[in-house]
Amino acid sequence: MTVSTSGVPSPSPSAPKGLRLAAVAIVRDESDVIEAFVRHNLAVVDHLFIEDDHSRDGTRAILDALAAEGLAVSVFDGPQEAAYFQAARTKGLLKRAYAVERWDFAFLLDGDEFLATPDRVTLEAELASLPESQAGGLRMWNYLPRPLDDIPDPFSFFSDRTQKLTGFSAKVMLPASVAANEELKIEDGNHAAFCFRRKVVVHQLQSVALAHFPVRSHDQIVSKTLVAYCRWRTRPDYDPATTALGPMGAMALLRSNPGLRLDSLDAITACYMGATGPEDTVQLPFERLGAPRRYDALAAIRPYDKAASAVDTIIASLSRLEAGGTASRQAAESGLAKFLSKSLVGRWRALRGGHTTLKAEWDGTVRRLSRSIRKRLG
């Protein structure tokens, strides 16, 4: 399947025998990694469904070019939101993806995560053995960045130094039966899933893991931190004790830094991965799959533009709220008054058995009460 620049997918070809594997991701300003992400992960799954969150760099142009090559990537436009409600949007993206193609399992990825598996046959066999309506769990290799002075090529960020593999499932992948459930709730970060307020049982997968590259260069991680801070901090349910601890810790580091440039990436890397020492890391070369990159010319990082665009989005959202505030408030108050009126009448009728004289008197009282409420609120 290919996708036009308008984001409208073309019809999907008939699925071959065996499991159909999909992956979904919401991305924004990931031009330095997005081509590698698409080419590699399409060597593991059958289809990528990507929501572009109004990228300001070359991310969308690269995605459109990859789709034009005939790669199985569908690109959708995300809503223009100041706050980043990742969980709800991931659920919506899963629904859109399933409407395009009936896949069996979906991996929930970020734009800097690469599926690592020895072979597709082993992966399919393990997925097919999962109990019905239960999820798979993926462990994660966190790859550490090279020193700043050791990156002559800004796109050669693949290091062979990584944290030791975690012993627990860091991300979930979902069967279609769970992903299509209207009661599905996904935890921010794609770390867990819930149905009917109960946590979906997760079976840790042995045949696949995630290679994670959150820190790739100075400009990339600084601009990522600034944008993440703005968008997570804008959420009305922001909780400093639990929300986006990595980006918030990184922002605290930038605030305490006396200059506009970091001398080392070690401290900001620790915010996203935790502190590491020689005993915490192993040498594990990462083998990137797929064809060589073709669109490096579109992959420039402009950190000031990324940070400014996040602020612009917040200002635009506030302006829309201010412009629509009065009308929205009046509509809500009018609706509340009508609801109270109907509720009171209904309860009175049930209580008095529909006595006509009493009902007429009560209806008149409710009408006067309703007019009074509207007048006072209006």
Side-chain angles (χ1 to χ4, degrees):
M1 175 185 291
T2 60
V3 174
S4 68
T5 55
S6 64
V8 179
S10 62
S12 174
S14 58
K17 293 181 180 180
L19 296 179
R20 292 292 291 176
L21 305 184
V24 301
I26 301 172
V27 302
R28 178 186 175 103
D29 295 331
E30 299 278 15
S31 63
D32 65 322
V33 73
I34 195 65
E35 183 178 1
F37 169 85
V38 170
R39 294 191 186 279
H40 174 92
N41 287 314
L42 280 180
V44 179
V45 303
D46 301 298
H47 204 126
L48 272 173
F49 298 91
I50 297 177
E51 182 178 293
D52 178 46
D53 190 15
H54 297 270
S55 295
R56 290 286 295 252
D57 61 5
T59 297
R60 185 56 183 266
I62 294 172
L63 288 172
D64 289 339
L66 292 168
E69 287 184 23
L71 299 183
V73 53
S74 295
V75 187
F76 305 97
D77 292 318
Q80 188 79 25
E81 295 178 340
Y84 184 36
F85 294 94
Q86 182 186 30
R89 289 176 60 179
T90 299
K91 178 181 176 180
L93 181 56
L94 280 168
K95 186 175 181 179
R96 297 172 81 175
Y98 199 66
V100 172
E101 179 180 316
R102 293 296 190 262
W103 37 261
D104 299 294
F105 293 89
F107 294 89
L108 316 183
L109 304 179
D110 292 334
D112 54 8
E113 295 173 348
F114 294 65
L115 292 165
T117 183
D119 62 82
R120 174 68 180 255
V121 174
T122 304
L123 173 59
E124 282 199 34
E126 184 174 19
L127 295 180
S129 69
L130 288 177
E132 186 177 359
S133 298
Q134 296 187 9
L138 287 83
R139 294 174 296 171
M140 182 177 290
W141 294 105
N142 284 317
Y143 279 79
L144 305 174
R146 292 188 174 95
L148 285 175
D149 57 0
D150 192 31
I151 312 179
D153 174 6
F155 306 105
S156 64
F157 53 79
F158 295 107
S159 171
D160 59 359
R161 188 166 62 97
T162 177
Q163 287 181 330
K164 292 179 180 178
L165 190 64
T166 56
F168 59 89
S169 299
K171 295 291 183 83
V172 296
M173 59 84 59
L174 301 178
S177 58
V178 174
N181 193 314
E182 289 296 329
E183 295 298 322
L184 173 68
K185 303 292 183 184
I186 301 171
E187 184 179 276
D188 282 327
N190 305 327
H191 302 300
F194 301 83
C195 282
F196 301 102
R197 299 186 180 182
R198 302 185 70 174
K199 192 172 184 178
V200 176
V201 176
V202 174
H203 292 265
Q204 186 165 286
L205 299 175
Q206 302 300 318
S207 60
V208 63
L210 285 178
H212 184 214
F213 298 89
V215 182
R216 303 185 291 275
S217 69
H218 177 277
D219 288 347
Q220 171 265 330
I221 194 58
V222 169
S223 55
K224 175 180 179 177
T225 297
L226 293 172
V227 172
Y229 173 80
C230 291
R231 304 199 71 203
W232 284 109
R233 191 65 182 83
T234 305
R235 283 180 54 153
D237 59 347
Y238 169 73
D239 182 351
T242 60
T243 304
L245 298 182
M248 296 307 163
M251 188 63 199
L253 174 68
L254 294 181
R255 281 179 155 175
S256 65
N257 194 63
L260 291 175
R261 189 166 187 86
L262 299 172
D263 295 328
S264 168
L265 292 180
D266 292 344
I268 202 166
T269 298
C271 294
Y272 284 89
M273 300 183 182
T276 59
E279 69 283 358
D280 302 315
T281 62
V282 295
Q283 297 298 121
L284 184 68
F286 176 74
E287 181 182 357
R288 184 170 64 85
L289 305 176
R293 295 186 309 271
R294 297 173 55 184
Y295 307 112
D296 284 356
L298 299 173
I301 298 173
R302 299 186 295 273
Y304 291 121
D305 183 54
K306 290 169 66 172
S309 69
V311 175
D312 289 343
T313 303
I314 294 173
I315 293 172
S317 297
L318 292 174
S319 299
R320 288 194 298 268
L321 286 174
E322 184 177 353
T326 302
S328 298
R329 179 176 60 84
Q330 290 176 346
E333 291 167 348
S334 176
L336 175 62
K338 292 178 181 178
F339 170 79
L340 288 173
S341 300
K342 292 181 179 179
S343 177
L344 290 171
V345 170
R347 290 178 180 275
W348 179 257
R349 286 174 177 169
L351 178 65
R352 303 303 301 174
H355 191 284
T356 55
T357 303
L358 289 176
K359 185 178 77 67
E361 293 178 357
W362 182 251
D363 285 349
T365 301
V366 169
R367 282 194 295 271
R368 290 191 295 273
L369 177 62
S370 179
R371 286 196 297 270
S372 176
I373 291 174
R374 291 195 186 99
K375 183 177 180 181
R376 289 176 181 276
L377 292 179

